[in-house]
Amino acid sequence: MNKTIETYYSELQLLLDGKHLLPSEIPFPKTIMNEYISHELIEATPGIIKQGKNYRCSRCNNETPRLFTSFPCALCQKECYYCRKCIMMGRVSTCTPLLRWKGPPVHNPHQDHSTYLTWNGTLSPGQKVASNAGVEGVRMKSDLTIWAVCGAGKTEVLFAAIDEALMSKLRVCIATPRTDVVLELAPRLKKVFPTIPVAVLYGGSKDRNLYAPLTISTTHQLLRFYQAFDLMIVDEVDAFPYSYDSSLQWAVKKSVRPQATTLYLTATPSETWQMECKYGKRNYVKIPARFHRQPLPIPQFTWCGNWRKQLEKMKIPLVVENWIQKRLNQNKQMLLFLPHIELMEKALPIFQKLHPKVEAVHAEDPNRKAKVEKMRSMEVPLLLTTTILERGVTFPNIDVAVLGAEDDIFTESALVQIAGRVGRSAEFPNGHITFFHYGRTKAMIRALVHIDDMNKEAAKKGMIDQ
Ligand SMILES: [Zn+2]
Ligand SMILES: [Zn+2]
């Protein structure tokens, strides 16, 4: 080994093993990189590949012609094309390579242990079944879908499978579409695997170059990886944007090793996915009951007339007003889902007439975090929201309603997720979920049947207390 190679070897190995990085993301001079490339320790592949008349981005797999733009390139002095789809992660252009480590892989630095897990909580019967299936999946290298109701306690279910993988010196990743979830999972996993370095990745994260046996990442950040992980856990496979954006699905595929095992987590699999489970095309395990062994609240359908017209006349439909008033009197917090932002913002003042501290929140709301915090600290009695809060949030003791449940935006899975906001904590395991509507839809009925089926299955298996 020559001197240059020796000096930078371990740093570059840790930086580039399992990665797919742009030269601009690598803090070493070009001459050093070229030397590594000539010694075949680093592989440089074209960032943009020309296919006939079209282009394809090797990082995000974009092939849509209108998402490539040409520009006079200062680097190659030619007219270069770049990928617009993944531009926010740094520009991939015709003359920029993607670099990855090709030499011997990083030897996992952690010590041999009989277990890395320091959690001594108890799993519910449903969690136990799924946890065992996860361990089995890791051992047998077989993919598994964990179909767990909202509030099943899916994070704890993963602990044993992750531990099994770490003990076998496998590299593990948990990927989720949302940054909020990454930030929520990270401290919990660090706590139960205290001796394992954990890389926490989202846009702007300081861990971006940290090599770790356990990585928690947004699906988006996986675009910077290449054949890195042996165990991939994909959270909320049915959720936006993962289920809609094929480049994120591709990012997951690209970031795992060829023989990797993938665990998929979902509370509301798509219809196709449900069918694939049913007909044996997917290995799956179901957790039909919540960790606190109480049944899922069943949605109540309440007709509320032409609510849209009423709101436009600055009136709240009477049944809805009564529903709110009753809970204001009881001091019980509420979430009310509405189908559209404009309508919600316009209607906010009439809801504030019932109580001045009513707030409204939506995806692009700059004060979103602060409003959710106010809800948590019980300052807000009623929070109006779009589907942005359908997942991931837990308020311990609330009732939930949907106004305009017949709207197309409220799919079966959205409605099941919304209903799943109620009764999540062991202290307050019950609550009301009401679908106010102006005509029932198939989605509403499917959501009801879905929840009811889960409760029946849980009861049959003795997973809920009667
Ligand atoms: Zn791209
Ligand atoms: Zn160029």
Side-chain angles (χ1 to χ4, degrees):
M1 220 189 280
N2 71 34
K3 189 114 199 308
T4 328
I5 298 275
E6 210 171 329
T7 317
Y8 301 98
Y9 189 92
S10 59
E11 257 181 285
L12 276 170
Q13 186 193 35
L14 283 169
L15 179 65
L16 282 167
D17 188 15
K19 288 285 187 56
H20 225 177
L21 297 189
L22 294 167
S24 58
E25 291 180 287
I26 299 165
F28 296 98
K30 209 176 165 191
T31 48
I32 292 169
M33 299 311 291
N34 285 341
E35 192 145 355
Y36 272 80
I37 292 168
S38 71
H39 280 80
E40 295 189 350
L41 286 167
I42 287 176
E43 185 183 65
T45 48
I48 307 278
I49 296 161
K50 195 155 194 217
Q51 298 174 320
K53 275 187 184 165
N54 294 327
Y55 294 96
R56 186 175 77 81
C57 172
S58 319
R59 187 169 61 185
C60 75
N61 208 32
N62 163 34
E63 292 180 308
T64 309
R66 67 180 168 80
L67 293 178
F68 290 96
T69 302
S70 72
F71 67 107
C73 178
L75 285 172
C76 67
Q77 309 288 327
K78 283 185 202 151
E79 200 59 13
C80 240
Y81 279 83
Y82 74 91
C83 172
R84 284 169 52 202
K85 184 142 192 201
C86 61
I87 182 72
M88 62 294 217
M89 309 195 78
R91 188 167 66 195
V92 182
S93 62
T94 332
C95 69
T96 33
L98 287 168
L99 302 171
R100 70 178 187 107
W101 185 252
K102 225 191 149 194
V106 174
H107 177 70
N108 254 336
H110 51 291
Q111 300 290 307
D112 285 302
H113 266 279
S114 57
T115 177
Y116 296 102
L117 183 61
T118 60
W119 187 68
N120 45 26
T122 324
L123 296 173
S124 74
Q127 284 176 310
K128 186 82 193 147
V129 173
S131 171
N132 292 345
V135 172
E136 195 62 14
V138 173
R139 283 189 191 148
M140 306 304 290
K141 294 193 182 300
S142 83
D143 294 352
L144 174 72
T145 296
I146 300 175
W147 180 354
V149 292
C150 300
K154 58 187 176 173
T155 308
E156 294 86 349
V157 164
L158 303 174
F159 292 166
I162 294 171
D163 194 36
E164 178 71 27
L166 291 172
M167 283 190 293
S168 313
K169 302 238 176 243
L170 301 179
R171 205 171 166 194
V172 183
C173 178
I174 306 176
T176 166
R178 293 179 304 128
T179 303
D180 305 6
V181 180
V182 170
L183 294 174
E184 194 216 300
L185 283 176
R188 294 174 69 187
L189 285 153
K190 283 181 177 175
K191 195 172 165 199
V192 298
F193 293 108
T195 59
I196 297 290
V198 181
V200 183
L201 304 178
Y202 49 91
S205 141
K206 64 173 172 37
D207 290 353
R208 60 188 285 148
N209 292 332
L210 175 69
Y211 183 96
L214 177 57
T215 297
I216 305 166
S217 177
T218 57
T219 22
H220 212 99
Q221 291 297 318
L222 293 182
L223 288 171
R224 300 174 73 243
F225 287 85
Y226 186 89
Q227 298 193 354
F229 304 109
D230 308 282
L231 173 62
M232 172 59 78
I233 299 165
V234 189
D235 187 28
E236 300 196 313
V237 269
D238 60 288
F240 178 85
Y242 179 77
S243 60
Y244 292 90
D245 188 342
S246 58
S247 75
L248 294 183
Q249 294 165 29
W250 194 74
V252 169
K253 235 184 218 168
K254 183 177 79 141
S255 70
V256 299
R257 291 211 172 111
Q259 302 300 320
T261 306
T262 306
L263 306 184
Y264 299 99
L265 297 179
T266 173
T268 46
S270 68
E271 218 178 319
T272 323
W273 201 293
Q274 290 188 30
M275 286 299 161
E276 286 168 357
C277 289
K278 203 172 159 188
Y279 294 113
K281 285 189 185 158
R282 282 184 190 276
N283 181 23
Y284 80 104
V285 60
K286 220 189 236 183
I287 312 180
R290 289 180 154 177
F291 76 94
H292 56 46
R293 301 178 64 97
Q294 291 300 308
L296 299 159
I298 297 284
Q300 187 190 331
F301 293 0
T302 303
W303 191 82
C304 65
N306 193 342
W307 55 274
R308 206 180 287 263
K309 216 170 172 180
Q310 297 234 37
L311 289 186
E312 272 158 17
K313 286 189 197 154
M314 301 307 269
K315 272 192 210 147
I316 302 171
L318 193 61
V319 272
V320 181
E321 189 175 328
N322 289 342
W323 184 89
I324 295 170
Q325 201 59 59
K326 186 175 163 191
R327 284 156 182 86
L328 286 174
N329 296 341
Q330 296 168 338
N331 257 331
K332 181 144 190 193
Q333 279 188 298
M334 298 159 270
L335 276 180
L336 180 65
F337 286 81
L338 285 122
H340 303 292
I341 297 175
E342 301 77 40
L343 197 80
M344 181 176 81
E345 301 231 293
K346 216 180 138 200
L348 179 62
I350 37 174
F351 286 95
Q352 283 171 332
K353 277 190 196 153
L354 299 178
H355 194 294
K357 291 203 163 162
V358 174
E359 292 275 13
V361 73
H362 59 85
E364 277 86 50
D365 188 341
N367 300 320
R368 181 176 138 198
K369 276 212 173 110
K371 287 177 184 172
V372 170
E373 271 321 304
K374 271 191 184 166
M375 182 75 186
R376 268 189 228 292
S377 61
M378 322 269 293
E379 281 172 65
V380 173
L382 164 63
L383 187 60
L384 309 182
T385 176
T386 58
T387 52
I388 181 70
L389 293 187
E390 83 180 30
R391 290 161 189 267
V393 288
T394 296
F395 304 110
N397 185 20
I398 54 164
D399 283 341
V400 176
V402 181
L403 179 52
E406 76 282 2
D407 193 278
D408 287 346
I409 202 163
F410 297 118
T411 58
E412 173 194 346
S413 81
L415 291 170
V416 171
Q417 290 282 353
I418 288 170
R421 297 309 105 205
V422 178
R424 293 174 75 88
S425 76
E427 224 180 316
F428 303 100
N430 307 306
H432 291 94
I433 167 71
T434 309
F435 295 165
F436 291 109
H437 67 91
Y438 185 39
R440 320 180 159 204
T441 59
K442 250 189 203 157
M444 290 164 62
I445 292 160
R446 288 182 63 102
L448 175 71
V449 172
H450 185 142
I451 295 167
D452 194 46
D453 281 352
M454 284 294 194
N455 280 342
K456 282 185 184 141
E457 189 175 334
K460 210 166 92 190
K461 289 182 175 165
M463 290 176 176
I464 46 182
D465 300 326
Q466 300 290 338

